[in-house]
Amino acid sequence: MYKKILVPLDGSKLAECALPHAEELAKGCGTEKVILVSVTERVQGYRAFEDPSQPSGQKLAPEAVGKKEKQAQRYLGRIAKAMEAKGIKVDTEVLLGDPAEEIVIYAKHPGCDIIVMSSHGRSGVSRWTHGSVADRVFRHSTIPVLMVRVPE
Amino acid sequence: MRRVYLDNAATTPLLPEVREAMMPYLGDIFGNPSSLHDWGDGAREAIGHARSQVAQLIGADPDEIIFTGSGTESNNFAIKGLALAQQNKGKHVLVSAIEHFSVLHSARTLEKWGFEVSEVPVDKYGVVDPDDVLRLVPLDGSDLAECVLPHVESIAQGRGVQDVVFLRVVEPFTTSTGALGPTFTEQDRQNINLQNKAAAEKYLNQLVNHTKYGGVKIRWEVMVGSAADSIAEYAGKNGVDLIIIATHGRSGVSRWVWGSVADRVLRSACVPVLMVRAPGCVPGI
């Protein structure tokens, strides 16, 4: 039922709270692939590129690949390796732009059936963050969202 | 020959008081109440006064009162209006088989406009059997509950799930009281709550009987109280590992609208919440 599971990560331990749940789903629900996504906020020197076959959004232009993106890619690669060791197929993707927006747009890719994410991320446990990225994804996603509460 | 008028359900003769109250508006105060000139002022005041009187009688806001020319016009207006305004919540309309033409024909019109219309039969007393309604509309009549089940099944048949609990929360019945004083006694209210609870139990029982997820145990539970709080409380007390809840998108108009039940469950429950979007929501950010 869940062919592709989308897991947004921002490099924080709090965001990683979603991982065990994503793994558990992936093992039981005929999942082909888990996609780990990290969104890098806009930095000068990066630009959007348009691919008409994909949902509109931003991806890193190949020539603009910079330090921040490499960092995110390395981080996702590390997590992916640990998951692959458990027999789960993993893809990683670094996106550019506003985190909530990019996650919602990416989730429109064909086959993305569920988003598994933590209620809190890099900015820690506070009411404010809950009102931002997780909340906005939760509200705007058209596919099911499994929201994992981080222990407060 | 003496004649007796027995069609008061259709039209009643005018009370002398009513005729008297109306006389000025059939005479001097004839202006268009929506006009800008003096002639309309009197009529505008009279309609505004009447509107607030009717609103007070039934515990509504004056804004919510719309005068029409007849019951037939009102039925047409209400049925088509409600169906069109909420079509992204569902396009299935149920009518009993013995409705007035103003209802049945409005439903037929909706059918031409792409709605699905079902007629619910009645018994010899003209009463609808709730079971017939259940059979026609899967589950509890909301597309919400329906869209959650495939996800429950998928996760339940995955790994490690031992127990599935279908939980339904019945909110206590409350009613506004108008100028006529409370029309429901405490006893009435209790009875209505008991009936709602019994209906919920019956519905969940049927659902559980029709649902099989391999060897997973399925139970049901009905609670009375506020929906979000009860769900969070149940999850906390019973060691629930995951809550699956359906919700409408931003286009929803009922209390399931955003910022409501699903949102509050997410905030008050300490367990993961899988939110499933009901069909017909508005995508985008």
Side-chain angles (χ1 to χ4, degrees):
Chain A
M1 169 131 190
Y2 306 121
K3 278 211 178 88
K4 290 184 190 167
I5 300 176
L6 197 61
V7 186
L9 295 170
D10 64 1
S12 70
K13 287 278 169 246
L14 288 179
E16 287 171 18
C17 286
L19 288 173
H21 295 269
E23 286 171 9
E24 196 62 30
L25 272 186
K27 286 182 206 156
C29 299
T31 301
E32 286 168 7
K33 217 173 244 177
V34 171
I35 304 170
L36 304 175
V37 177
S38 175
V39 186
T40 302
E41 282 173 66
R42 187 191 301 269
V43 189
Q44 259 195 340
Y46 288 51
R47 68 171 180 81
F49 73 38
E50 305 271 331
D51 178 353
S53 67
Q54 300 290 327
S56 68
Q58 293 179 321
K59 259 188 178 179
L60 283 174
E63 69 271 21
V65 171
K67 212 169 141 196
K68 239 182 158 177
E69 185 268 350
K70 268 190 192 143
Q71 224 176 353
Q73 194 60 63
R74 261 207 307 277
Y75 164 74
L76 291 184
R78 218 165 49 231
I79 307 260
K81 225 173 163 183
M83 275 179 110
E84 274 162 350
K86 294 173 190 165
I88 301 167
K89 274 198 186 146
V90 186
D91 254 4
T92 60
E93 194 82 63
V94 177
L95 307 170
L96 171 69
D98 171 78
E101 236 169 83
E102 292 306 314
I103 292 164
V104 170
I105 290 169
Y106 192 87
K108 288 184 189 147
H109 276 88
C112 282
D113 292 320
I114 188 168
I115 299 173
V116 180
M117 74 184 293
S118 159
S119 61
H120 297 86
R122 199 160 42 197
S123 14
V125 180
S126 80
R127 287 250 151 220
W128 293 108
T129 32
H130 196 66
S132 65
V133 181
D135 230 24
R136 283 174 67 212
V137 170
F138 194 63
R139 274 161 203 253
H140 296 288
S141 161
T142 46
I143 62 171
V145 180
L146 171 55
M147 193 68 79
V148 180
R149 266 292 271 256
V150 301
E152 288 187 23
Chain B
M1 191 182 75
R2 195 166 160 238
R3 296 198 303 161
V4 178
Y5 182 77
L6 292 174
D7 198 14
N8 284 293
T11 295
T12 49
L14 211 55
L15 278 171
E17 300 94 293
V18 175
R19 191 202 321 252
E20 205 178 304
M22 278 306 292
M23 281 319 276
Y25 310 104
L26 302 173
D28 294 342
I29 314 176
F30 65 92
N32 175 352
S34 310
S35 63
L36 297 169
H37 47 70
D38 290 353
W39 284 275
D41 286 350
R44 181 161 53 244
E45 271 165 36
I47 285 187
H49 184 56
R51 184 170 275 135
S52 42
Q53 279 179 320
V54 172
Q56 211 187 0
L57 277 174
I58 62 170
D61 271 345
D63 287 355
E64 294 170 316
I65 307 296
I66 298 165
F67 292 120
T68 63
S70 66
T72 291
E73 198 183 321
S74 297
N75 284 340
N76 270 272
F77 196 22
I79 292 167
K80 292 171 190 165
L82 283 173
L84 286 178
Q86 305 184 63
Q87 52 185 322
N88 45 21
K89 286 175 69 182
K91 296 185 85 171
H92 191 185
V93 177
L94 300 187
V95 289
S96 92
I98 52 161
E99 293 298 334
H100 187 260
F101 274 163
S102 60
V103 174
L104 286 180
H105 288 183
S106 294
R108 291 291 156 240
T109 306
L110 288 173
E111 211 168 18
K112 281 183 201 148
W113 292 347
F115 285 76
E116 192 189 335
V117 176
S118 306
E119 276 183 24
V120 189
V122 297
D123 63 14
K124 61 182 175 181
Y125 305 106
V127 176
V128 168
D129 181 353
D131 278 348
D132 285 331
V133 178
L134 272 186
R135 269 195 285 281
L136 280 165
V137 183
L139 312 178
D140 67 346
S142 76
D143 45 357
L144 280 173
E146 216 186 328
C147 71
V148 97
L149 290 177
H151 296 275
V152 179
E153 181 173 3
S154 175
I155 289 172
Q157 289 185 331
R159 300 158 40 94
V161 177
Q162 291 173 345
D163 245 326
V164 172
V165 182
F166 289 121
L167 176 67
R168 181 144 171 201
V169 183
V170 179
E171 300 215 348
F173 177 75
T174 52
T175 176
S176 56
T177 51
L180 290 178
T183 39
F184 291 94
T185 64
E186 194 46 43
Q187 187 59 42
D188 286 340
R189 235 174 284 231
Q190 274 176 17
N191 285 342
I192 289 169
N193 282 338
L194 283 176
Q195 276 168 21
N196 287 345
K197 193 164 180 247
E201 284 168 355
K202 193 171 172 185
Y203 155 68
L204 286 181
N205 208 11
Q206 269 183 350
L207 180 61
V208 169
N209 286 338
H210 287 114
T211 314
K212 295 269 176 300
Y213 299 142
V216 181
K217 256 193 289 173
I218 308 175
R219 292 185 291 125
W220 56 266
E221 193 82 46
V222 173
M223 296 176 81
V224 178
S226 122
D229 296 345
S230 303
I231 294 169
E233 184 195 320
Y234 184 88
K237 281 192 184 154
N238 294 279
V240 167
D241 294 315
L242 175 67
I243 297 170
I244 307 184
I245 186 169
T247 180
H248 275 294
R250 286 173 296 165
S251 51
V253 280
S254 69
R255 69 202 165 82
W256 290 93
V257 89
W258 269 113
S260 174
V261 178
D263 226 12
R264 278 167 43 215
V265 167
L266 180 67
R267 277 161 206 277
S268 43
C270 297
V271 285
V273 178
L274 171 56
M275 186 233 22
V276 180
R277 188 69 92 191
C281 72
V282 182
I285 193 156

